[in-house]
Amino acid sequence: MLDFGYPVLTILIAFPLVAACGLFFLRAPQVVRYYTMAVSLIECLLAVPLMGFKLNADFQFVEKIDWVHQWGLQYYLGVDGISILMVLLTIAVLPLCVMCSWTYIGKREKEFHFCLLFMTSSVLGVFCALDLVLFYVFWEAMLIPMYLLIAVWGGDDRKYASLKFFLYTLAGSTLLLAAIVAFRVTGGTFSIPDLMQMNFSFRFQFWAFLAMALAFAIKVPMFPFHTWLPAAHVQAPSAGSVILAAVLLKMGTYGFLRFCLPLTPAASEYFAPMMIAISIVSILYGGAIALGQSDIKKLVAYSSVGHMGFVTLGIFLFNQRGVEGALFQMLNHGIVTGALFMMIGAVYERSHSREISKNMGLGKYLPAFMFFWGLMALASFGFPGTNGFVGEILVFIGAFQDSPYIGMFLVPGALLGAAYMFRVSLKLAWGKPSTAKAWRDLNAREWIYLTIPAVFVLWIGLAPTPFFKIIDPSIDKLLNDFDKRKVASVETEQPMQTAAAHVLSIVADNQ
């Protein structure tokens, strides 16, 4: 079954993987780079039909065929307003990763670009899958190339960082698999849209939510499961950090929106105070630790813990503004933090150090670099007119709508964001002594891969209406279904409670 004239999503998922196999017929590193760049641009062209996305809450570009009929498995793909922006972000990030790695990667170029293409296919599958097992296959598939990107092309402590990333992610995947099996046994299907129509008992939801939430919290990551992230970011090559920040972390928050709220609404509401509290801790902790960093990359890595805390907070507010803000923050964090990591890689190629003290005084000698850095720094802490402001203000509004106390806790988090970004930016621009006297400013390739995210920073910041039109119908449906089904889930428990009360009354009467 196809919703479109041809399988758009299958082609988008399969093309990078098929093209990756062609790398093994190439030898010259430069040819490998040009080939992968061409593949990434063709992938962008193949995504053009997604521009025909209709502004409603239905799953679109649906592909559904039997996979393993005896087990009830289906090859089931589709996108809605929650996933379409993540799909487009993943595709857009690929050519940027190729460009920022052009001179950064000097060994095993063929294998490196294979991992990039493999990773793109896996992540696209995660955002498009509408079958639980298919989702899990893609979820696990991305683990291999990301592990290799850190372990083979990472820094001096790459073995420690890659192993920690692998073990944390694998632990979460095991819990996710247990939840998937439980849904199949209880619901009788692996189809996500079908499961969304079912009402499960609160007891079942309680344990299913815990298993899924732990898996997604590790991926986000939320405090206290965040310790793998700074190590992975610092040791990963620039492209690895860009993919990790731009799309991999979003898989966790996407999981909360796609699975926890629709499938376990009563349990989501029950655990919401805990999730909100952890989100606030993540925001404050990430900002405070980032403020004390001397390594630029580690600073941005810890800032991600805080930024993703805003996303999870917005999700578990269960109101329109909060969830809108969460989706905008997911998109904005991918754009801004991805660009910051690309710039850190660019300056590292010049100074061979990520220490702030080794990269000071760039304003006079690298003005173009500092222009882009300043723009992304402003967007990072939500300066008005940038995309970061749109997502952050929506989460603030949602928080104050829910409770003024929650909103008050966000204020120091926002101030910390401004503090650590101003601190590092001022030192990079005007710190003394300057270390950049002999450095070249941005070359043509660097101008290209920084201009693209800069355009989106300003577009979303100044004219976000097209993006609201894409996400709002799906958010409305998500929250309406959530409100209805959390009540239905509680009502399914009432007959059991009534029967138990009746038995207790009989025992009491007999006594």
Side-chain angles (χ1 to χ4, degrees):
M1 183 182 83
L2 294 176
D3 265 5
F4 205 70
Y6 64 95
V8 176
L9 299 181
T10 294
I11 291 173
L12 287 173
I13 294 168
F15 177 70
L17 187 58
V18 173
C21 297
L23 287 167
F24 295 105
F25 298 98
L26 307 176
R27 292 190 176 183
Q30 199 70 351
V31 175
V32 168
R33 295 186 183 99
Y34 280 112
Y35 175 84
T36 311
M37 190 69 214
V39 169
S40 68
L41 295 176
I42 293 172
E43 178 77 352
C44 292
L45 292 175
L46 292 174
V48 169
L50 295 181
M51 298 298 104
F53 182 83
K54 299 174 184 176
L55 303 179
N56 60 49
D58 298 332
F59 286 108
Q60 300 175 42
F61 303 97
V62 172
E63 303 170 30
K64 185 178 181 182
I65 59 175
D66 281 339
W67 182 12
V68 183
H69 181 72
Q70 293 82 352
W71 296 352
L73 300 182
Q74 295 175 317
Y75 180 78
Y76 195 179
L77 302 175
V79 291
D80 64 354
I82 293 173
S83 56
I84 183 71
L85 293 180
M86 294 299 101
V87 169
L88 294 173
L89 178 63
T90 304
I91 294 169
V93 162
L94 178 58
L96 303 183
C97 288
V98 177
M99 283 190 282
C100 76
S101 304
W102 204 268
T103 56
Y104 193 96
I105 300 299
K107 65 175 183 179
R108 298 193 174 187
E109 294 86 350
K110 191 184 303 184
E111 292 83 355
F112 174 83
H113 290 90
F114 180 90
C115 288
L116 286 184
L117 295 173
F118 191 107
M119 176 76 71
T120 300
S121 290
S122 302
V123 176
L124 287 173
V126 167
F127 292 131
C128 295
L130 295 179
D131 179 275
L132 284 174
V133 173
L134 187 63
F135 173 87
Y136 186 77
V137 169
F138 287 124
W139 178 279
E140 285 292 271
M142 72 85 213
L143 180 60
I144 300 168
M146 191 66 227
Y147 169 82
L148 292 175
L149 285 175
I150 301 171
V152 178
W153 295 277
D156 294 337
D157 292 330
R158 58 184 179 273
K159 291 183 179 179
Y160 166 78
S162 58
L163 183 61
K164 194 170 187 178
F165 164 78
F166 186 88
L167 292 177
Y168 266 79
T169 307
L170 188 63
S173 299
T174 304
L175 295 169
L176 181 60
L177 179 60
I180 289 172
V181 172
F183 277 111
R184 175 64 175 86
V185 171
T186 306
T189 180
F190 288 116
S191 168
I192 296 171
D194 290 347
L195 290 169
M196 287 179 176
Q197 306 305 316
M198 299 180 187
N199 293 318
F200 300 100
S201 69
F202 178 77
R203 181 176 297 178
F204 174 83
Q205 289 189 38
F206 182 95
W207 294 109
F209 177 89
L210 279 181
M212 293 190 298
L214 281 170
F216 300 143
I218 291 171
K219 183 70 73 176
V220 170
M222 300 177 72
F223 180 90
F225 308 107
H226 67 283
T227 58
W228 65 266
L229 181 64
H233 266 315
V234 170
Q235 298 304 317
S238 293
S241 293
V242 172
I243 292 177
L244 190 58
V247 292
L248 257 65
L249 305 189
K250 312 309 177 294
M251 290 165 55
T253 48
Y254 173 78
F256 283 124
L257 289 166
R258 178 62 75 221
F259 297 101
C260 291
L261 268 62
L263 303 186
T264 58
S268 295
E269 185 177 49
Y270 179 81
F271 284 106
M274 180 186 74
M275 300 300 293
I276 289 172
I278 295 174
S279 298
I280 292 172
V281 171
S282 297
I283 293 168
L284 298 177
Y285 174 85
I289 298 299
L291 187 59
Q293 298 303 313
S294 61
D295 183 306
I296 313 173
K297 204 172 189 184
K298 191 174 287 187
L299 182 151
V300 177
Y302 275 109
S303 76
S304 292
V305 177
H307 288 142
M308 296 307 291
F310 275 97
V311 177
T312 52
L313 176 67
I315 291 171
F316 284 94
L317 292 172
F318 306 132
N319 59 42
Q320 182 81 15
R321 294 294 171 257
V323 179
E324 281 178 345
L327 274 170
F328 267 100
Q329 280 292 86
M330 287 167 66
L331 177 63
N332 297 339
H333 179 264
I335 295 169
V336 174
T337 308
L340 287 173
F341 278 123
M342 287 191 290
M343 284 188 279
I344 293 170
V347 80
Y348 179 81
E349 290 189 66
R350 291 162 170 82
S351 68
H352 305 291
S353 174
R354 288 186 290 265
E355 290 293 318
I356 298 174
S357 60
K358 303 292 185 182
N359 295 282
M360 296 197 298
L362 309 185
K364 181 178 180 180
Y365 303 101
L366 282 75
F369 175 89
M370 284 311 305
F371 165 77
F372 285 111
W373 180 275
L375 178 63
M376 297 304 165
L378 292 172
S380 180
F381 67 79
F383 190 80
T386 66
N387 61 345
F389 176 77
V390 177
E392 199 163 295
I393 195 65
L394 287 170
V395 175
F396 264 90
I397 293 171
F400 277 102
Q401 283 180 350
D402 189 80
S403 168
Y405 297 105
I406 296 175
M408 288 171 59
F409 275 112
L410 296 185
V411 174
L415 292 176
L416 283 169
Y420 62 70
M421 288 311 300
F422 269 125
R423 171 179 168 267
V424 67
S425 299
L426 290 174
K427 289 189 175 183
L428 289 178
W430 295 298
K432 295 181 179 180
S434 176
T435 56
K437 294 180 181 179
W439 299 355
R440 287 183 55 194
D441 205 353
L442 299 179
N443 57 38
R445 174 175 50 83
E446 291 166 337
W447 267 96
I448 292 171
Y449 71 63
L450 293 178
T451 299
I452 294 170
V455 168
F456 282 94
V457 165
L458 296 174
W459 179 16
I460 299 173
L462 298 173
T465 302
F467 300 90
F468 278 110
K469 290 181 178 179
I470 292 172
I471 66 175
D472 275 349
S474 293
I475 292 175
D476 290 339
K477 184 177 186 300
L478 172 69
L479 294 178
N480 288 335
D481 290 348
F482 174 82
D483 290 334
K484 293 175 184 176
R485 295 183 61 247
K486 72 181 181 184
V487 175
S489 299
V490 173
E491 289 176 348
T492 59
E493 295 290 303
Q494 288 182 353
M496 295 177 60
Q497 294 169 357
T498 304
H502 181 65
V503 171
L504 290 174
S505 66
I506 293 174
V507 172
D509 291 341
N510 290 336
Q511 290 178 346

